[in-house]
């Protein structure tokens, strides 16, 4: 057996790591050994009616959610709000490419962003009334 042949002598080098004991091994077709072909295709997101990973079901209206809660309206509303906020945060991570950063880097970036936005809002709150009054005096709307 040469140095380039694998453990079964197929002529390819064996991978630098092996799967966990008892884990299903992939066959030559790329399908999982434990799944039938149709299920393996759907699990990979291919043909067979499987949904894509980015598919998100439509949210029902607030009226429909209240009717379906069955007396647990506040708990269901909090759970739904938490789910929606988690989804929006996930979208924020994807759009800004923050998902590639380590947690401490993400924390530094988010804290800087929050402080800059906070300073801009404070500055607008303090100085905008003065600017608006100056504009109104200029156009002689207010005497």
């Amino acid at each position: 057996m040469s140095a380039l042949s694998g453990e079964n002598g197929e002529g390819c080098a064996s991978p630098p790591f092996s799967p966990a004991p008892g884990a299903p091994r992939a066959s030559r077709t790329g399908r999982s050994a434990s799944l039938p072909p149709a299920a393996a295709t759907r699990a990979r997101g291919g043909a067979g009616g499987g949904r894509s990973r980015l598919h998100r079901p439509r949210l029902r209206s607030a009226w429909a959610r209240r009717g379906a809660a069955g007396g647990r309206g506040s708990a269901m509303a909090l759970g739904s709000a938490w789910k929606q906020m988690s989804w929006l945060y996930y979208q924020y991570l994807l759009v800004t490419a923050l998902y590639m950063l380590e947690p401490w880097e993400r924390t530094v970036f988010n804290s800087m962003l929050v402080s800059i936005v906070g300073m801009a809002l404070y500055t607008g709150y303090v100085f905008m009334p003065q600017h608006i009054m100056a504009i109104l005096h200029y156009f002689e709307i207010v005497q």
Side-chain angles (χ1 to χ4, degrees):
M1 195 180 301
S2 71
L4 291 178
S5 64
E7 59 190 42
N8 53 4
E10 291 178 359
C12 63
S14 57
F17 59 88
S18 59
R25 299 187 72 156
S27 65
R28 289 181 187 221
T29 60
R31 295 186 185 126
S32 176
S34 64
L35 295 174
T41 303
R42 277 193 300 274
R44 285 194 314 268
R51 291 183 174 177
S52 70
R53 292 183 198 145
L54 297 178
H55 173 75
R56 181 165 170 80
R58 285 185 135 188
L59 293 175
R60 295 183 301 161
S61 67
W63 186 262
R65 282 194 302 259
R66 269 189 237 117
R72 300 184 313 260
S74 62
M76 294 295 284
L78 286 175
S80 177
W82 182 260
K83 188 182 252 187
Q84 183 71 16
M85 289 302 293
S86 297
W87 183 76
L88 287 173
Y89 180 69
Y90 179 69
Q91 292 297 312
Y92 161 73
L93 290 179
L94 288 177
V95 168
T96 57
L98 288 175
Y99 65 93
M100 295 187 290
L101 299 179
E102 292 186 15
W104 71 270
E105 294 171 324
R106 196 177 310 149
T107 302
V108 168
F109 179 85
N110 286 334
S111 61
M112 287 176 54
L113 181 67
V114 165
S115 65
I116 290 171
V117 168
M119 287 187 287
L121 290 174
Y122 176 75
T123 302
Y125 175 76
V126 169
F127 292 110
M128 282 307 262
Q130 296 172 6
H131 289 295
I132 291 172
M133 289 304 293
I135 291 170
L136 293 176
H137 283 294
Y138 178 79
F139 289 110
E140 299 176 353
I141 297 172
V142 175
Q143 300 304 330

